[in-house]
């Protein structure tokens, strides 16, 4: 069984953070620092990219593997009977959706921020193909997190379709993403899953663009749900 890679900071109820892209938590420090007075923040690194594995060779990734890894992390950090909050953005948002579908009993509430489940949209397969082709055209040199994301995460994760009903879920989209594909995708995902829908500061990378305001919005959303 693969090793688990995660970092813990803060105190309070457990909040599992699932980064976007290839799961590398780069840039999330300010966001987690703002949350650490309120939560025990557990940041999961599914491929271990920030823990010495950036140069590894990877195959195409499966959503289920990432969500089961996240579940194993929760099994390690939660006490018996305890449940966790979850925040996931982009590909991490898709992981959060699958985690909620598979293990709802350990989760208090989940925020999935702009999960790119584009096949939920009308003509979604065409839109997915265009998105993959557009991003692939700008692929960087091998060995960086973005190259891993484009080569092995983007394709399989954008094909993911969550179940039609999920409990204790908020789907979020950035106010700066209005009119764009992933804002429309988030709205569609909220309808599909029966989730609450809300808007967060910034665009698709709002967690990096304005981490303090983004963290405040995440905290208010999670704690407001119980």
């Amino acid at each position: 069984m693969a090793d688990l890679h995660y970092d813990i900071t803060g105190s309070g109820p457990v909040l599992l953070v699932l980064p976007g892209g290839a799961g590398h938590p780069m840039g999330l420090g300010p966001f987690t620092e703002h949350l650490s007075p309120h939560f025990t923040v557990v940041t999961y690194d599914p491929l271990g990219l920030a823990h010495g594995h950036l140069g590894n060779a990877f195959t195409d990734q499966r959503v289920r593997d990432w969500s089961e890894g996240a579940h194993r992390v929760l099994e390690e950090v939660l006490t018996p009977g305890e449940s966790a909050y979850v925040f996931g953005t982009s590909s991490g948002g898709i992981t959060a959706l699958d985690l909620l579908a598979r293990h709802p009993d350990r989760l208090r509430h989940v925020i999935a921020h702009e999960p790119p489940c584009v096949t939920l949209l009308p003509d979604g397969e065409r839109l997915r193909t265009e998105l993959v082709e557009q991003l692939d055209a700008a692929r960087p040199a091998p060995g960086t997190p973005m190259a891993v994301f484009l080569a092995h995460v983007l394709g399989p994760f954008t094909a993911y379709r969550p179940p039609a009903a999920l409990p204790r879920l908020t789907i979020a989209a950035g106010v700066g993403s209005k009119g764009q594909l992933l804002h429309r995708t988030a709205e569609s995902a909220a309808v599909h899953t029966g989730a609450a829908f809300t808007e967060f500061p910034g665009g698709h990378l709002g967690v990096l663009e304005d981490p303090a305001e983004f963290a405040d919005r995440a905290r208010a959303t999670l704690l407001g749900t119980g």
Side-chain angles (χ1 to χ4, degrees):
M1 187 174 290
D3 292 336
L4 295 177
H5 303 282
Y6 56 92
D7 298 294
I8 300 178
T9 187
S11 60
V14 170
L15 169 59
L16 178 66
V17 173
L18 303 171
H24 193 302
M26 59 184 173
L28 290 183
F31 172 67
T32 59
E33 286 170 13
H34 282 287
L35 290 170
S36 61
H38 311 281
F39 301 95
T40 298
V41 183
V42 181
T43 305
Y44 179 40
D45 177 5
L47 297 180
L49 298 182
H51 295 82
H53 298 284
L54 184 56
N56 290 13
F58 296 100
T59 59
D60 285 354
Q61 298 298 297
R62 299 194 308 169
V63 174
R64 177 174 183 169
D65 290 342
W66 285 29
S67 68
E68 288 299 329
H71 175 63
R72 289 173 54 213
V73 170
L74 291 179
E75 290 296 298
E76 288 195 2
V77 302
L78 291 175
T79 59
E82 186 183 11
S83 56
Y85 295 106
V86 178
F87 170 83
T89 185
S90 192
S91 55
I94 287 180
T95 304
L97 293 175
D98 197 58
L99 176 63
L100 180 58
R102 295 179 185 278
H103 302 286
D105 55 312
R106 301 310 302 270
L107 308 183
R108 289 194 189 189
H109 198 86
V110 170
I111 297 173
H113 175 258
E114 297 202 1
C117 308
V118 294
T119 60
L120 294 176
L121 291 169
D123 204 14
E125 287 295 345
R126 178 186 63 82
L127 292 170
R128 173 177 173 266
T129 298
E130 290 178 355
L131 176 64
V132 171
E133 289 178 349
Q134 177 186 358
L135 293 177
D136 191 61
R139 181 179 297 190
T144 66
M146 181 57 73
V148 175
F149 167 68
L150 293 174
H152 300 298
V153 179
L154 176 63
F157 275 56
T158 52
Y160 179 77
R161 294 177 64 90
L166 288 173
R168 300 184 299 281
L169 173 64
T170 297
I171 302 285
V175 293
S177 299
K178 280 188 176 179
Q180 298 176 15
L181 174 62
L182 294 183
H183 193 287
R184 291 187 285 116
T185 298
E187 291 178 304
S188 180
V191 172
H192 176 79
T193 59
F197 176 80
T198 191
E199 290 185 324
F200 271 43
H204 189 62
L205 299 178
V207 66
L208 304 180
E209 297 162 351
D210 192 348
E213 188 176 352
F214 200 99
D216 287 344
R217 188 77 175 94
R219 177 174 59 86
T221 300
L222 291 172
L223 297 182
T225 64

